[in-house]
Amino acid sequence: MFWQTKRFQIDLTTPKIMGILNITPDSFSDGGTYSGSLKTTLAHAEKLLQDGADILDIGGESTRPNAMAVSPELEWQRVQPVLAEISRWNMPISLDTRRASVMKLALDFDFVDIINDVQGLEDENAVNLIAQSQVGVCVMHMKGLPENMQNNPNYQNVVTEVAQYLQQRADVCIQAGIVPERIVLDAGFGFGKTLAHNIMLMKNLDKLTTSYHLPHLVGVSRKRMIGEITGREIPTERISGSVSAALFSLTQGAKIVRVHDVRETVDAWKVWQTFQAA
């Protein structure tokens, strides 16, 4: 199994670690710690790679619960200088955006290998843009929008409904000409879900498959669900819980985990693998 991206064919027979690089002053997890200057941002990107990240995921808009949308122009202004530099590195680069106009700019400048879209390529023309390119794509489920998604989210059956949505979006992508090898799915933990919903999805990750048998990316790093389980209110104190959740998701079949704490996740996975194989 592999993920075909613009420059790289990423081997998913072993799990891959996607390191998070937020270029946002209002990130829930680090409060803009790494967005103060280009030098600071690039230094953190280098550290993520040194710690073992296989992919870098760069975002210029916070999509935390209750976050207000920023303009596409501001989003691009935040990520453009970082992408211009990091795109020259010999690493798969992912852009976390839900705006087709931002995607188009990144594609026109040939800055990215992957588009990671929390809105499932639902923005007008997003699917066609990706279809006309060669980038990989991660398609995520989100119920509502960041500014309202946690206002009493409700499902008849969260596993069935998320699975149906992912199947529908995969159908749309493939019918538009995006080959299955370019597509990864994301159940959208914390995006319009309660803790009970998140737990149910995690325990049934293998049931979120599609007819195309597409791989899954899981992103739970430092999220409120980890805080609710552990009682840790401050996101930076949720590292141990986040690593545990990442490991569990890998045992459930996830092929990629999106994390803030790369070194800790890489080390934990190495130890788990060693004991599992012994």
Side-chain angles (χ1 to χ4, degrees), residues 220-222 226-227 229-230 232 234-248 261 264-265 268:
V220 294
S221 182
R222 301 188 184 180
I226 305 298
I229 294 169
T230 62
R232 305 293 182 187
I234 301 171
T236 52
E237 294 181 355
R238 299 172 184 166
I239 296 172
S240 298
S242 298
V243 171
S244 296
L247 286 183
F248 185 80
D261 307 293
E264 292 83 352
T265 308

Side-chain angles (χ1 to χ4, degrees), residues 26 62-69 145-151 224:
D26 56 343
S62 175
T63 51
R64 61 177 170 76
N66 303 314
M68 298 307 295
L145 295 170
E147 54 264 37
N148 59 29
M149 63 188 179
Q150 289 305 108
N151 297 344
R224 184 164 64 181

Side-chain angles (χ1 to χ4, degrees), residues 5 16 26 42 55 71 119 127 182 194 197 220 237 268 277-278:
T5 73
K16 295 296 180 281
D26 56 343
L42 294 178
I55 306 164
S71 68
Q119 204 166 290
V127 171
R182 292 169 56 193
T194 65
H197 294 145
V220 294
E237 294 181 355

